[in-house]
Amino acid sequence: ASSAASDVYKRQLILCMTLLTAVSACSKDEYTEKNVMVVTPGTLEGTWTLTEWNGQAPEEGMYVYITFERKERTFVMYEKWGSMYSHKTSGTFSILEDEDYGIILTGEYDYDQGEWQEYVVTGMDGATLTLVAKDNAADKLVYTRCEGVPEDIQNGSRSLGF
């Protein structure tokens, strides 16, 4: 009789371990993809443009360009998102390692404009950078490396319609 009870306990233990492994894997899988290269200021350096937000391309006329500078760990961002005018913001960025989430990209805007939302780097292969908001796994952004911010955006003429 004790052998049968022992077998039941073993099966329950195996079932519990399997469920525990599945649950812990699911919670982190929301934020991880396969192609994550080493994320450093050097691998981020350059200009990136937003090419996808939550599975959709930006609406016509909307854009986000961000240029990272590795040495000073600064960024300059040009965006026209939900507004008829382009906005230029700048600040500093940080790359953090989180035990639960992996690599986190965050930063602060200049002129006391606040902090960035924290983004988990879920994919980076040199040509694309995939970020997921740490507090909302459904908020996914895909950036593509580009040559630079177009001149008409830098001088503000694109947002004015010239």
Side-chain angles (χ1 to χ4, degrees):
S2 69
S3 176
S6 176
D7 286 345
V8 169
Y9 290 125
K10 285 179 187 176
R11 283 189 214 123
Q12 287 176 341
L13 181 61
I14 291 170
L15 178 62
C16 287
M17 294 295 282
T18 303
L19 288 174
L20 183 60
T21 302
V23 168
S24 65
C26 289
S27 63
K28 194 167 181 177
D29 282 350
E30 291 178 294
Y31 293 95
T32 57
E33 290 182 8
K34 294 178 182 172
N35 297 326
V36 179
M37 65 187 288
V38 177
V39 181
T40 66
T43 58
L44 275 178
E45 184 170 43
T47 302
W48 302 81
T49 185
L50 183 67
T51 51
E52 185 180 309
W53 180 57
N54 295 335
Q56 302 290 318
E59 291 180 23
E60 187 176 341
M62 300 295 158
Y63 55 80
V64 177
Y65 287 89
I66 186 165
T67 302
F68 294 102
E69 198 281 321
R70 73 171 172 80
K71 194 170 187 179
E72 300 294 325
R73 290 183 175 58
T74 58
F75 71 89
V76 175
M77 182 173 8
Y78 293 86
E79 63 178 312
K80 184 177 176 195
W81 199 263
S83 172
M84 58 190 280
Y85 298 105
S86 180
H87 301 280
K88 177 184 176 186
T89 54
S90 59
T92 58
F93 70 92
S94 301
I95 300 168
L96 312 172
E97 288 193 46
D98 184 280
E99 186 175 309
D100 294 324
Y101 294 96
I103 303 297
I104 305 284
L105 181 60
T106 188
E108 290 189 27
Y109 295 103
D110 288 338
Y111 312 110
D112 296 321
Q113 295 296 311
E115 295 182 1
W116 276 10
Q117 181 173 351
E118 291 185 328
Y119 289 96
V120 179
V121 179
T122 61
M124 183 173 178
D125 64 9
T128 60
L129 170 65
T130 305
L131 305 173
V132 174
K134 182 179 173 186
D135 64 352
N136 181 5
D139 188 8
K140 181 178 179 180
L141 305 120
V142 178
Y143 285 86
T144 303
R145 192 179 292 277
C146 60
E147 291 294 315
V149 179
E151 194 173 313
D152 62 338
I153 290 175
Q154 290 183 49
N155 66 27
S157 63
R158 182 180 295 188
S159 66
L160 299 175
F162 297 135

